[in-house]
Amino acid sequence: MKIAILSGKGGAGKTTVATNLALSLPGVQLLDADVEEPNAHLFLNPHFGNYLEPVTRNVPQIDPKKCILCGRCVEFCEFNALALLGNRVIVYPEACHSCGGCKEVCNVNAISGVERQVGVLRRDQDISGIEFWQGELSVGEESSIPVIRALLKKINRRKIAIIDAPPGTACSAVEVASDSDFCLLVAEPTPFGLHDLQMTVDVIEQLEKPWGIVINRSDSKGDQALEDYAKNKRIPIFLKIPFERSIAEFYAQGIPFVEKDPSWKHRFQKMIKQILAYCGET
Amino acid sequence: MKIAIPVANTEGLNASLADSFGRADYFAIVELDDTSIEFIANPARQEGSGAGIKAVQTVANAKVKSVVVPRLGMKAIQALKDANISSLEFTGTTLQSAIDAFRAGQLKDFPPEGCGNKH
């Protein structure tokens, strides 16, 4: 069971939900797929040790002896990763999206591939029973997808995997959502929160996955607009995390609040039971 | 000798300077021998990514020896170097002011690390 934790904006509470949920369940995997700025580690203090797995992707390499400087590859590249400057074609690998199209359009077989490192995966096999994985994109790289794909390959289908997705509704978040079995959308009860939830819903809807909402920083007055929207869209609200100073204080100290108030572990466990039942699993 | 200057419109020597390179609306290709100016639309203007590289390709095709720009990204800096085009830093208002500054020889090369936090 793969559960993607998503939100339309940063700061809604994805990492809060992902880390507290993971700590409430026995023997789960937690994957931090926000590879541009992974932060679940701040709350879990993993010991990665020496484990460091490089993530690479294939980028073009031009054989100047074979290249006839026709410029077809330059013309073809949607991402402008190639340029014909002076008497040679130059590759700008950080702009390349590894589509391989340049190789296809080259009439003289002057283009081959070479592996380029674009990030790393780190792992701690046991944080209070959690198998924790973290993807990190190298600084300057444009596409986070290769790192997210490598990370998602670490999912053990016999376990519950909780995936802390990148914020927003761009390809990186869609990559995580489309690979999941269930999408949990985290929203806050503000006009911005509702707007960002609508954005997420508009995108995730297309994937036709079972889904649900967690309201973070919930308060009785503010929740109404989110509740009306969820009801209208027939998306179940599985949990509300209240807008409480103590929760914010623990967050600021890097302490998952389930560690301070174990009654919350029961609430997260109950939520998972409801989600599994909703998905037709037991 | 030709130089390229990114501009926001095509109003001759009064054309306003663009505030970036890769996403400028036009390039003024200036022939310094007779101050003739050709304006070319920048095909990289609305690119999703790699605009700097495509813009360099554009000015390289126009056979310029230098660009006079207010800002440059890392990839554009590298591509200009690869194209053997010098990049000179200038912030001003009109195309005329950029040409004058270039002729006066008072412009400095862009630092290889780019314009740092200004970009």
Side-chain angles (χ1 to χ4, degrees), chain A residues 58-78:
Chain A
N58 203 262
V59 297
Q61 192 171 39
I62 316 283
D63 181 348
K65 290 197 189 86
K66 288 187 186 168
C67 178
I68 54 166
L69 305 173
C70 69
R72 281 169 65 92
C73 55
V74 175
E75 191 94 346
F76 178 84
C77 184
E78 183 70 18

Side-chain angles (χ1 to χ4, degrees), chain A residues 19-81:
Chain A
T19 52
N20 284 290
L21 175 60
L23 285 165
S24 303
L25 303 171
V28 296
Q29 285 185 305
L30 174 60
L31 296 93
D32 194 342
D34 188 0
V35 302
E36 289 181 56
E37 44 206 345
N39 67 342
H41 67 93
L42 296 173
F43 303 93
L44 296 171
N45 302 311
H47 297 285
F48 291 124
N50 294 327
Y51 190 91
L52 193 67
E53 187 177 324
V55 180
T56 62
R57 64 185 176 80
N58 203 262
V59 297
Q61 192 171 39
I62 316 283
D63 181 348
K65 290 197 189 86
K66 288 187 186 168
C67 178
I68 54 166
L69 305 173
C70 69
R72 281 169 65 92
C73 55
V74 175
E75 191 94 346
F76 178 84
C77 184
E78 183 70 18
F79 303 104
N80 303 308

Side-chain angles (χ1 to χ4, degrees), chain A residues 89-281:
Chain A
V89 171
I90 297 169
V91 180
Y92 297 94
E94 63 279 13
C96 172
H97 282 51
S98 304
C99 74
C102 50
K103 283 179 231 169
E104 297 296 319
V105 300
C106 180
N107 285 335
V108 294
N109 281 324
I111 305 181
S112 58
V114 58
E115 289 297 311
R116 166 187 171 83
Q117 185 173 338
V118 293
V120 295
L121 303 184
R122 295 181 202 272
R123 180 195 65 188
D124 185 338
Q125 278 178 304
D126 187 2
I127 308 172
S128 315
I130 299 170
E131 180 187 333
F132 179 63
W133 287 88
Q134 172 172 297
E136 289 171 32
L137 182 68
S138 302
V139 171
E141 289 298 321
E142 291 193 6
S143 173
S144 59
I145 303 297
V147 180
I148 293 174
R149 282 197 186 143
L151 183 70
L152 296 178
K153 282 197 189 131
K154 301 301 179 186
I155 290 175
N156 177 348
R157 299 279 1 208
R158 283 170 302 185
K159 291 185 174 183
I160 289 178
I162 298 158
I163 307 134
D164 192 2
T169 52
C171 5
S172 52
V174 173
E175 187 71 28
V176 171
S178 55
D179 187 65
S180 69
D181 302 308
F182 181 85
C183 293
L184 193 57
L185 316 182
V186 183
E188 57 174 22
T190 63
F192 277 133
L194 175 60
H195 172 267
D196 292 323
L197 175 65
Q198 287 168 333
M199 272 176 29
T200 317
V201 165
D202 287 347
V203 172
I204 302 304
E205 199 163 43
Q206 317 290 325
L207 303 174
E208 298 181 352
K209 303 266 184 191
W211 57 357
I213 292 171
V214 171
I215 300 182
N216 188 26
R217 293 190 278 273
S218 159
D219 83 280
S220 52
K221 280 182 209 152
D223 288 357
Q224 195 59 46
L226 284 182
E227 283 170 6
D228 291 347
Y229 175 74
K231 194 176 171 192
N232 187 258
K233 280 283 186 181
R234 298 186 184 170
I235 311 171
I237 295 173
F238 282 105
L239 187 71
K240 293 181 178 183
I241 300 170
F243 185 39
E244 249 174 39
R245 187 171 178 91
S246 62
I247 290 178
E249 281 175 359
F250 293 142
Y251 177 89
Q253 294 164 48
I255 301 168
F257 63 85
V258 296
E259 301 290 26
K260 292 286 177 183
D261 180 356
S263 73
W264 270 102
K265 290 195 178 181
H266 298 297
R267 279 181 254 191
F268 278 106
Q269 287 159 7
K270 196 176 148 206
M271 176 177 81
I272 281 296
K273 276 187 195 146
Q274 288 171 343
I275 288 173
L276 291 174
Y278 179 74
C279 296
E281 293 189 30

